[in-house]
Amino acid sequence: MNRALISAFAAVTLVVSGASAATASDGVPPRTTHGPCQYTQTPDEPAARPVPLPPDPRRTPNRGTVDMDVATSQGPLPLRLDRAKAPCTVQSFLHLARHGFYNRTVCHRLTAYPTLKVLQCGDPTGTGEGGPGYKYKDELPIDLPPAPTDPTGTRRLYERGLLAMANAGPDTNGSQFFVVYGDSALRPNYTVFGTVGPDGLATLDETAAAGIKPTTDNPTPVDGTPTLRTELLRIRQTRP
């Protein structure tokens, strides 16, 4: 599943590719949790690492923030998760972190378009195809300002420092996420669930400054594998 974002003005995809409906080949319906988040198995896209469905209590925590200590191979990437903005997304992210799903995973995609500057992470396979074996609903932002670079008014400003989910279409959130290192213009189709701390922005700037690995077809790409390998070594909760 290659989760993609659509660039503001270039026809660029930055998603989780190949998402499909959650149907098992043997006809058995996928399991769905009974709480408000309704995490649903994706049998045709099994988990890149073994992990159960997240807990889905009737009263999903929807207040306050959660601080996460993220150690990477390039330095700290502290995150602050916002339960009020996206309670189901925060609940899933914490679940995956507690099961070590993100440990020793590489951030596989960097973009450097004028209107799209993000680092994408969260796939244990490092290919953009991997996920947790389940999907869940969008919790889309309603308070993002219009992107000043978009005269049509359809795109919103995903400003530097935001943390959001990558997806492959409506209600296909899984494990892949992106961090914004430069103001970006996107349709408001991507769940925002937190922010990156100052030390994390410095780490992102270092990764972004190193650029993107050239390919035989393109010696100066603006979308692809980061030249500076950024591996998530460990993610753990530091404050409830």
Side-chain angles (χ1 to χ4, degrees):
M1 222 199 282
N2 186 10
R3 310 238 165 216
L5 315 174
I6 307 301
S7 154
F9 296 115
V12 182
T13 59
L14 224 199
V15 272
V16 184
S17 67
S20 59
T23 56
S25 57
D26 59 3
V28 177
R31 182 186 165 204
T32 299
T33 59
H34 297 296
C37 297
Q38 295 191 321
Y39 303 109
T40 302
Q41 288 178 327
T42 54
D44 294 336
E45 296 169 355
R49 286 179 176 172
V51 64
L53 288 175
D56 192 5
R58 180 179 300 178
R59 295 184 178 179
T60 305
N62 61 1
R63 295 182 181 179
T65 58
V66 183
D67 286 343
M68 306 297 290
D69 175 25
V70 182
T72 84
S73 56
Q74 300 304 327
L77 188 67
L79 304 176
R80 175 161 290 179
L81 314 184
D82 190 334
R83 292 187 186 274
K85 286 186 179 295
C88 292
T89 302
V90 171
Q91 188 165 254
S92 174
F93 189 90
L94 289 171
H95 170 75
L96 294 173
R98 288 165 181 160
H99 280 79
F101 187 88
Y102 291 124
N103 294 349
R104 296 288 178 178
T105 62
V106 175
C107 295
H108 62 278
R109 196 167 193 181
L110 180 70
T111 66
Y113 291 95
T115 54
L116 183 60
K117 299 179 182 297
V118 306
L119 179 68
Q120 190 168 333
C121 313
D123 171 14
T125 72
T127 64
E129 301 288 336
Y134 64 85
K135 65 178 183 177
Y136 60 96
K137 65 182 182 180
D138 294 322
E139 296 171 295
L140 299 179
I142 58 174
D143 57 352
L144 298 179
T149 56
D150 180 14
T152 70
T154 59
R155 292 170 176 81
R156 293 293 180 266
L157 177 63
Y158 281 69
E159 65 182 4
R160 172 176 163 87
L162 284 186
L163 167 68
M165 291 300 296
N167 65 54
D171 301 323
T172 59
N173 298 291
S175 63
Q176 292 187 41
F177 60 93
F178 61 94
V179 283
V180 184
Y181 69 88
D183 289 355
S184 298
L186 289 165
R187 296 182 185 275
N189 298 338
Y190 306 95
T191 298
V192 174
F193 68 106
T195 54
V196 182
D199 290 345
L201 291 176
T203 298
L204 288 176
D205 288 343
E206 184 177 355
T207 298
I212 297 162
K213 286 185 178 180
T215 65
T216 53
D217 297 329
N218 189 350
T220 57
V222 290
D223 180 6
T225 304
T227 297
L228 194 61
R229 177 184 172 92
T230 301
E231 182 178 1
L232 306 181
L233 303 176
R234 182 194 67 250
I235 299 183
R236 66 183 180 186
Q237 182 176 340
T238 60
R239 186 177 66 82

